[in-house]
Amino acid sequence: MKNRQIILLARPKGKLGPEHFQMTEGVVPDPKEGEVLVRVRLISLDAANRAWMQGATYRSAVEAGGVMAGGAIAEVVTSPASEFKPGDLVFADTGWQDYAALPAKGLIKLPRIEPITNLLSVYGIAGLTAYFGLLRIGRPQPDETVVVSAAAGSVGSFVGQIGKIKGCRVVGIAGGAAKCDWLVGELGFDAAVDYKLGSVDRALKAAAPRGVDVYFDNVGGEILEACLPLMNVGGRIVCCGAVSAYDGTAPAAGPRGVPGLIVIKRLLMQGFIVMDYFSERYAAVAELQRWVQAGQLKIQEDVIDGLENTPKALIGLLAGENRGKRMVRVSQ
Ligand SMILES: NC(=O)c1ccc[n+]([C@@H]2O[C@H](COP(=O)([O-])OP(=O)(O)OC[C@H]3O[C@@H](n4cnc5c(N)ncnc54)[C@H](OP(=O)(O)O)[C@@H]3O)[C@@H](O)[C@H]2O)c1
């Protein structure tokens, strides 16, 4: 049995490109004591994959010369640990490869939910990030206005829909008319702003005439700067990520308005990492399942076939190719 692996050749200085990766073929690893051998089924593609190349974040930086890191759903092949048996599905940082041998304590056992792609989208990191970030930090109240950036992406598309479930006016910010039409026409957002047209501040003012109570920030940079003056007194800014700063050289200074507008408008601006809430994830998944079953929460998945396509799929995600949760199917 062969183990195909995608190696990160160098950490990019500017934009990420196919030249930063190489596919090699190794052997299937021999698990050491306490390790479980898993076969990768679906690799999660995340904007954060690119952020890890910039340096240490909530995890250590990915280093050049090794298998590219990444979370995945994998199937247990052999296990010395009684809690895992062959055929069990787990979530783990397997990296971009066919097989991995990992310490049993680092594996998260997954429930049997079909299709298993849902375990990476609505019931995985994407859905849970939207759920906890919006409800615990954003705390949206009925009739309030929620704005979310990267709104047609995996986290953003759930944020907006959960905002609607909570009775809010929801405005999405996304790149391009097709994505904006989809947010309003298919996902039930009240309005969408195409940031690629420029003048986000003006367009947002028109889309959120009563101001913004919750801004769920996935992008940082100029869009955060455009949202700040529109925030209502007592508004909450959920700092989820900064995708505008991931794929390039050092991020620009800013945004203007910090801390001045934070003080004047008595804003809460709080970051979080979804794992902070993991002890509550089963209850969250149960609520997400109820919303899906009631038809209130639509799931959009963007599945790409073939391990060899993983670099291209990440580069495309950073360029906004994806709609909803992007993932790569490595094996059936
Ligand atoms: N805090 C946490 O625990 C946590 C967990 C998961 C994810 N996140 C964060 O959530 C955000 C979304 O990540 P994801 O993995 O779900 O990716 P995603 O939203 O599915 O895809 C990224 C999207 O970002 C948009 N984008 C790219 N460059 C942009 C720019 N310069 N300005 C505005 N939008 C841009 C693109 O859509 P357009 O076509 O609209 O440009 C792209 O589709 C990231 O900031 C990520 O770090 C945080």
Side-chain angles (χ1 to χ4, degrees):
M1 273 192 308
K2 294 274 193 297
N3 186 23
R4 295 171 304 156
Q5 300 182 310
I6 295 179
I7 309 296
L8 180 69
L9 292 178
R11 279 163 56 174
K13 300 243 179 336
K15 268 198 164 323
L16 184 69
E19 67 279 10
H20 296 109
F21 298 98
Q22 187 179 44
M23 183 136 153
T24 62
E25 223 170 63
V27 291
V28 175
D30 235 345
K32 295 201 272 292
E33 204 184 321
E35 285 186 341
V36 176
L37 179 67
V38 299
R39 182 169 63 98
V40 176
R41 300 225 7 215
L42 286 165
I43 292 174
S44 175
L45 266 288
D46 299 288
N49 296 154
R50 177 66 183 88
W52 303 340
M53 297 174 192
Q54 289 180 325
T57 52
Y58 54 91
R59 53 157 290 152
S60 51
V62 291
E63 295 301 339
V67 175
M68 176 59 199
I73 293 178
E75 192 171 313
V76 173
V77 180
T78 58
S79 169
S82 55
E83 68 266 40
F84 298 108
K85 55 179 192 321
D88 280 350
L89 288 183
V90 295
F91 181 80
D93 186 348
T94 61
W96 293 4
Q97 55 186 341
D98 287 313
Y99 292 92
L102 301 166
K105 62 176 170 18
L107 307 181
I108 297 173
K109 195 165 175 175
L110 295 172
R112 279 281 168 187
I113 289 178
E114 290 293 342
I116 68 164
T117 51
N118 289 180
L119 292 164
L120 278 189
S121 60
V122 64
Y123 308 128
I125 301 287
L128 292 172
T129 300
Y131 182 93
F132 288 119
L134 183 63
L135 299 184
R136 295 301 156 76
I137 300 173
R139 299 191 312 278
Q141 305 301 310
D143 293 326
E144 285 191 332
T145 298
V146 172
V147 171
V148 55
S149 49
S154 67
V155 174
S157 60
F158 293 127
V159 169
Q161 294 186 83
I162 297 172
K164 287 308 299 175
I165 290 168
K166 294 292 169 187
C168 300
R169 175 176 174 80
V170 171
V171 180
I173 304 175
K179 281 189 178 181
C180 289
D181 289 348
W182 176 69
L183 290 173
V184 175
E186 287 291 318
L187 297 192
F189 285 43
D190 296 285
V193 168
D194 176 0
Y195 75 91
K196 291 197 171 158
L197 294 177
S199 312
V200 173
D201 46 353
R202 239 180 302 142
L204 204 51
K205 203 168 179 176
R210 287 181 282 144
V212 180
D213 300 292
V214 179
Y215 172 47
F216 193 106
D217 187 18
N218 281 319
V219 306
E222 289 171 11
I223 293 178
L224 170 59
E225 189 167 298
C227 286
L228 271 166
L230 298 176
M231 295 298 299
N232 290 328
V233 170
R236 287 80 67 199
I237 299 176
V238 184
C239 296
C240 178
V243 70
S244 72
Y246 294 167
D247 194 22
T249 44
R256 282 172 295 185
V258 176
L261 289 170
I262 307 282
V263 177
I264 295 163
K265 292 169 179 277
R266 289 82 152 175
L267 302 179
L268 172 87
M269 192 173 187
Q270 189 183 325
F272 74 106
I273 296 295
V274 63
M275 278 73 98
D276 302 343
Y277 298 97
F278 256 28
S279 60
E280 301 170 58
R281 70 180 183 279
Y282 296 115
V285 166
E287 185 150 40
L288 290 163
Q289 277 178 310
R290 282 195 292 277
W291 290 336
V292 169
Q293 278 152 15
Q296 291 173 286
L297 194 55
K298 290 189 181 160
I299 305 166
Q300 177 78 17
E301 294 171 343
D302 172 11
V303 184
I304 291 182
D305 279 306
L307 178 68
E308 66 282 7
N309 293 319
T310 316
K312 214 166 49 186
L314 177 60
I315 294 162
L317 175 135
L318 296 166
E321 257 176 23
N322 64 307
R323 213 179 266 191
K325 175 67 199 168
R326 178 163 272 201
M327 59 190 91
V328 171
R329 195 188 314 278
V330 177
S331 65
Q332 292 287 346

PDB file of all heavy atoms in Angstrom, residues 284-297:
ATOM      1  N   ALA A 284     -24.891  21.784  20.824  1.00  0.00           N
ATOM      2  CA  ALA A 284     -24.943  22.668  19.648  1.00  0.00           C
ATOM      3  C   ALA A 284     -25.298  21.861  18.399  1.00  0.00           C
ATOM      4  O   ALA A 284     -26.147  22.284  17.598  1.00  0.00           O
ATOM      5  CB  ALA A 284     -23.604  23.376  19.464  1.00  0.00           C
ATOM      6  N   VAL A 285     -24.670  20.698  18.243  1.00  0.00           N
ATOM      7  CA  VAL A 285     -24.967  19.858  17.065  1.00  0.00           C
ATOM      8  C   VAL A 285     -26.443  19.459  17.083  1.00  0.00           C
ATOM      9  O   VAL A 285     -27.122  19.484  16.043  1.00  0.00           O
ATOM     10  CB  VAL A 285     -24.040  18.617  17.015  1.00  0.00           C
ATOM     11  CG1 VAL A 285     -24.552  17.590  16.018  1.00  0.00           C
ATOM     12  CG2 VAL A 285     -22.616  19.041  16.645  1.00  0.00           C
ATOM     13  N   ALA A 286     -26.967  19.148  18.257  1.00  0.00           N
ATOM     14  CA  ALA A 286     -28.388  18.747  18.341  1.00  0.00           C
ATOM     15  C   ALA A 286     -29.276  19.903  17.874  1.00  0.00           C
ATOM     16  O   ALA A 286     -30.257  19.684  17.139  1.00  0.00           O
ATOM     17  CB  ALA A 286     -28.728  18.331  19.767  1.00  0.00           C
ATOM     18  N   GLU A 287     -28.951  21.126  18.267  1.00  0.00           N
ATOM     19  CA  GLU A 287     -29.779  22.268  17.849  1.00  0.00           C
ATOM     20  C   GLU A 287     -29.621  22.523  16.341  1.00  0.00           C
ATOM     21  O   GLU A 287     -30.610  22.781  15.642  1.00  0.00           O
ATOM     22  CB  GLU A 287     -29.401  23.519  18.646  1.00  0.00           C
ATOM     23  CG  GLU A 287     -30.316  24.691  18.317  1.00  0.00           C
ATOM     24  CD  GLU A 287     -30.516  25.671  19.456  1.00  0.00           C
ATOM     25  OE1 GLU A 287     -29.539  25.964  20.170  1.00  0.00           O
ATOM     26  OE2 GLU A 287     -31.663  26.155  19.613  1.00  0.00           O
ATOM     27  N   LEU A 288     -28.396  22.403  15.843  1.00  0.00           N
ATOM     28  CA  LEU A 288     -28.175  22.580  14.399  1.00  0.00           C
ATOM     29  C   LEU A 288     -28.972  21.523  13.625  1.00  0.00           C
ATOM     30  O   LEU A 288     -29.566  21.820  12.580  1.00  0.00           O
ATOM     31  CB  LEU A 288     -26.685  22.488  14.075  1.00  0.00           C
ATOM     32  CG  LEU A 288     -25.817  23.670  14.562  1.00  0.00           C
ATOM     33  CD1 LEU A 288     -24.329  23.305  14.559  1.00  0.00           C
ATOM     34  CD2 LEU A 288     -26.059  24.914  13.719  1.00  0.00           C
ATOM     35  N   GLN A 289     -29.004  20.294  14.153  1.00  0.00           N
ATOM     36  CA  GLN A 289     -29.768  19.220  13.474  1.00  0.00           C
ATOM     37  C   GLN A 289     -31.255  19.557  13.432  1.00  0.00           C
ATOM     38  O   GLN A 289     -31.925  19.333  12.423  1.00  0.00           O
ATOM     39  CB  GLN A 289     -29.572  17.889  14.213  1.00  0.00           C
ATOM     40  CG  GLN A 289     -28.292  17.177  13.806  1.00  0.00           C
ATOM     41  CD  GLN A 289     -28.091  15.889  14.571  1.00  0.00           C
ATOM     42  OE1 GLN A 289     -28.178  15.865  15.791  1.00  0.00           O
ATOM     43  NE2 GLN A 289     -27.796  14.822  13.859  1.00  0.00           N
ATOM     44  N   ARG A 290     -31.760  20.113  14.524  1.00  0.00           N
ATOM     45  CA  ARG A 290     -33.188  20.481  14.543  1.00  0.00           C
ATOM     46  C   ARG A 290     -33.471  21.532  13.471  1.00  0.00           C
ATOM     47  O   ARG A 290     -34.460  21.462  12.757  1.00  0.00           O
ATOM     48  CB  ARG A 290     -33.589  21.007  15.931  1.00  0.00           C
ATOM     49  CG  ARG A 290     -33.804  19.900  16.960  1.00  0.00           C
ATOM     50  CD  ARG A 290     -34.558  20.419  18.191  1.00  0.00           C
ATOM     51  NE  ARG A 290     -33.780  21.367  18.982  1.00  0.00           N
ATOM     52  CZ  ARG A 290     -32.866  21.023  19.894  1.00  0.00           C
ATOM     53  NH1 ARG A 290     -32.622  19.759  20.146  1.00  0.00           N
ATOM     54  NH2 ARG A 290     -32.209  21.947  20.575  1.00  0.00           N
ATOM     55  N   TRP A 291     -32.593  22.510  13.331  1.00  0.00           N
ATOM     56  CA  TRP A 291     -32.802  23.569  12.331  1.00  0.00           C
ATOM     57  C   TRP A 291     -32.707  23.001  10.915  1.00  0.00           C
ATOM     58  O   TRP A 291     -33.471  23.394  10.037  1.00  0.00           O
ATOM     59  CB  TRP A 291     -31.774  24.683  12.525  1.00  0.00           C
ATOM     60  CG  TRP A 291     -31.975  25.501  13.771  1.00  0.00           C
ATOM     61  CD1 TRP A 291     -33.155  25.666  14.460  1.00  0.00           C
ATOM     62  CD2 TRP A 291     -30.991  26.255  14.485  1.00  0.00           C
ATOM     63  NE1 TRP A 291     -32.961  26.477  15.542  1.00  0.00           N
ATOM     64  CE2 TRP A 291     -31.652  26.866  15.594  1.00  0.00           C
ATOM     65  CE3 TRP A 291     -29.637  26.498  14.311  1.00  0.00           C
ATOM     66  CZ2 TRP A 291     -30.985  27.690  16.508  1.00  0.00           C
ATOM     67  CZ3 TRP A 291     -28.971  27.330  15.221  1.00  0.00           C
ATOM     68  CH2 TRP A 291     -29.639  27.907  16.303  1.00  0.00           C
ATOM     69  N   VAL A 292     -31.783  22.069  10.709  1.00  0.00           N
ATOM     70  CA  VAL A 292     -31.652  21.469   9.376  1.00  0.00           C
ATOM     71  C   VAL A 292     -32.920  20.685   9.062  1.00  0.00           C
ATOM     72  O   VAL A 292     -33.510  20.810   7.971  1.00  0.00           O
ATOM     73  CB  VAL A 292     -30.394  20.561   9.297  1.00  0.00           C
ATOM     74  CG1 VAL A 292     -30.400  19.736   8.010  1.00  0.00           C
ATOM     75  CG2 VAL A 292     -29.125  21.414   9.377  1.00  0.00           C
ATOM     76  N   GLN A 293     -33.376  19.876  10.039  1.00  0.00           N
ATOM     77  CA  GLN A 293     -34.567  19.051   9.800  1.00  0.00           C
ATOM     78  C   GLN A 293     -35.814  19.905   9.573  1.00  0.00           C
ATOM     79  O   GLN A 293     -36.702  19.526   8.817  1.00  0.00           O
ATOM     80  CB  GLN A 293     -34.781  18.078  10.969  1.00  0.00           C
ATOM     81  CG  GLN A 293     -33.889  16.845  10.822  1.00  0.00           C
ATOM     82  CD  GLN A 293     -33.520  16.212  12.147  1.00  0.00           C
ATOM     83  OE1 GLN A 293     -34.133  16.495  13.177  1.00  0.00           O
ATOM     84  NE2 GLN A 293     -32.509  15.350  12.130  1.00  0.00           N
ATOM     85  N   ALA A 294     -35.868  21.058  10.206  1.00  0.00           N
ATOM     86  CA  ALA A 294     -37.022  21.952  10.040  1.00  0.00           C
ATOM     87  C   ALA A 294     -36.924  22.772   8.757  1.00  0.00           C
ATOM     88  O   ALA A 294     -37.808  23.582   8.457  1.00  0.00           O
ATOM     89  CB  ALA A 294     -37.120  22.878  11.246  1.00  0.00           C
ATOM     90  N   GLY A 295     -35.844  22.604   8.016  1.00  0.00           N
ATOM     91  CA  GLY A 295     -35.678  23.347   6.760  1.00  0.00           C
ATOM     92  C   GLY A 295     -35.268  24.790   6.966  1.00  0.00           C
ATOM     93  O   GLY A 295     -35.327  25.608   6.043  1.00  0.00           O
ATOM     94  N   GLN A 296     -34.818  25.133   8.197  1.00  0.00           N
ATOM     95  CA  GLN A 296     -34.438  26.530   8.461  1.00  0.00           C
ATOM     96  C   GLN A 296     -32.972  26.801   8.153  1.00  0.00           C
ATOM     97  O   GLN A 296     -32.545  27.945   8.074  1.00  0.00           O
ATOM     98  CB  GLN A 296     -34.683  26.854   9.949  1.00  0.00           C
ATOM     99  CG  GLN A 296     -36.134  26.893  10.347  1.00  0.00           C
ATOM    100  CD  GLN A 296     -36.251  27.045  11.855  1.00  0.00           C
ATOM    101  OE1 GLN A 296     -36.014  26.117  12.613  1.00  0.00           O
ATOM    102  NE2 GLN A 296     -36.612  28.237  12.287  1.00  0.00           N
ATOM    103  N   LEU A 297     -32.199  25.717   8.040  1.00  0.00           N
ATOM    104  CA  LEU A 297     -30.757  25.866   7.822  1.00  0.00           C
ATOM    105  C   LEU A 297     -30.366  25.022   6.619  1.00  0.00           C
ATOM    106  O   LEU A 297     -30.511  23.799   6.635  1.00  0.00           O
ATOM    107  CB  LEU A 297     -30.028  25.382   9.090  1.00  0.00           C
ATOM    108  CG  LEU A 297     -28.562  25.723   9.278  1.00  0.00           C
ATOM    109  CD1 LEU A 297     -28.328  27.225   9.188  1.00  0.00           C
ATOM    110  CD2 LEU A 297     -28.083  25.221  10.650  1.00  0.00           C
TER     111      LEU A 297
END
